[in-house]
Amino acid sequence: MLTLIRRAYWGVAVLSGVLLAQPLRAADMVSPVTPDLKPVVTEQGWTYSIAPYFWAAGLSGDVTQFGLPTVHLDASFGDILKNLDFAAMAVAEARHDRYSVFGDLMYVKISTGRGTSRGVIANDVDVSSETFSGLIGAGYSVFQGDAGYLDIVGGMRVWSVNTDIGFHGGILDGVSASDGATWVDGLVGLRANYSLTPEVYLTGWSMVGAGGADVDWDVAAALGYRFNERFSALAGYRALGVNYSNNGFEFDVVQQGPIMGLVMHF
């Protein structure tokens, strides 16, 4: 996990270095998940964007419920269509001059089954994980130029997690339980955007924090394409991890996989 975070921060740092080498001027403000367009400006100077997206994220890590053995999850993003029950995700942002306010909502329900290593406690385990994550934050552009920008950002993420675990075979045959938790984490980080051509751009972000969880982190890198001033698309890779434990409930997982989205500006 630490290696993945270091690589993501290194990628954002490289992108930030490229930005610092560009001539700086206050223009063409864009979102870290939206392209560097010339949007329609309101009378107040605000620009807005919304981006529904799909994240084919696999789920790996450990889930524990009070009084039951720890269950290790390992559902790769290649099996997402088989394991995914439902998903809804969207990003929205408002920007004015150097300032931005943004939100990221995500709801995912994944069901998976796996065999145990020895089959003594149980032959196999069924796990259903229902996760809601809501991030709200604000940013300030410390550098901005013709080709891109670099933002310092901070925000708060609300988590609500519920898991159902059922054991089959072995000593715990027929045993099942449901548990969950809700908590809030504070995060800080960087977001950057760099235009390769008028149509093609690179974007990325890296955030880390804690609060209710011992650690909460989110990193991504994507390539975007502008169709026009109203619509664009992006594709990339995102990884998000959280380690929460309290009163016998543990949710220590990493979700990672390809991400694709359609961005609308108004």
Side-chain angles (χ1 to χ4, degrees):
M1 181 183 296
L2 292 176
T3 301
L4 180 59
I5 297 175
R6 293 193 187 101
R7 290 179 179 175
Y9 268 101
W10 178 251
V12 173
V14 171
L15 182 55
S16 302
V18 174
L19 290 170
L20 295 178
Q22 304 299 315
L24 300 179
R25 67 179 179 86
D28 300 333
M29 299 299 294
V30 294
S31 163
V33 291
T34 57
D36 185 4
L37 301 178
K38 294 184 174 69
V40 176
V41 179
T42 68
E43 293 181 358
Q44 294 77 27
W46 286 92
T47 61
Y48 306 92
S49 63
I50 184 169
Y53 65 93
F54 178 71
W55 184 23
L59 182 68
S60 61
D62 296 321
V63 175
T64 305
Q65 295 181 1
F66 182 76
L68 294 176
T70 297
V71 176
H72 180 72
L73 304 177
D74 188 13
S76 69
F77 67 81
D79 297 327
I80 189 64
L81 295 180
K82 179 178 66 176
N83 297 319
L84 183 65
D85 295 328
F86 182 80
M89 308 167 190
V91 172
E93 183 183 51
R95 297 190 69 95
H96 177 52
D97 194 26
R98 289 178 177 265
Y99 301 94
S100 64
V101 179
F102 57 91
D104 182 7
L105 297 178
M106 177 179 65
Y107 173 83
V108 179
K109 184 175 182 181
I110 296 176
S111 299
T112 183
R114 60 180 297 273
T116 59
S117 58
R118 293 184 175 86
V120 177
I121 296 179
N123 294 329
D124 54 80
V125 182
D126 292 331
V127 180
S128 176
S129 174
E130 188 175 11
T131 304
F132 169 81
S133 171
L135 170 68
I136 184 169
Y140 179 79
S141 294
V142 291
F143 299 103
Q144 54 182 326
D146 294 341
Y149 75 94
L150 174 65
D151 276 4
I152 293 178
V153 298
M156 301 184 69
R157 195 197 316 268
V158 177
W159 288 90
S160 181
V161 177
N162 291 283
T163 61
D164 299 321
I165 300 177
F167 296 89
H168 304 285
I171 299 174
L172 296 180
D173 183 36
V175 175
S176 63
S178 299
D179 203 353
T182 300
W183 70 92
V184 179
D185 297 326
L187 297 97
V188 296
L190 299 172
R191 301 189 300 177
N193 185 290
Y194 180 73
S195 295
L196 300 174
T197 72
E199 294 80 23
V200 181
Y201 66 95
L202 295 172
T203 188
W205 63 89
S206 181
M207 302 180 69
V208 65
D214 295 332
V215 64
D216 184 340
W217 56 271
D218 186 358
V219 295
L223 179 70
Y225 184 83
R226 309 178 183 98
F227 299 109
N228 52 48
E229 291 188 350
R230 294 293 185 184
F231 297 97
S232 62
L234 61 82
Y237 198 89
R238 182 182 186 184
L240 182 153
V242 62
N243 183 356
Y244 173 86
S245 59
N246 186 42
N247 293 329
F249 177 80
E250 178 184 5
F251 189 73
D252 181 10
V253 302
V254 173
Q255 300 177 71
Q256 58 179 318
I259 185 171
M260 297 165 285
L262 176 66
V263 187
M264 298 169 283
H265 299 262
F266 55 98

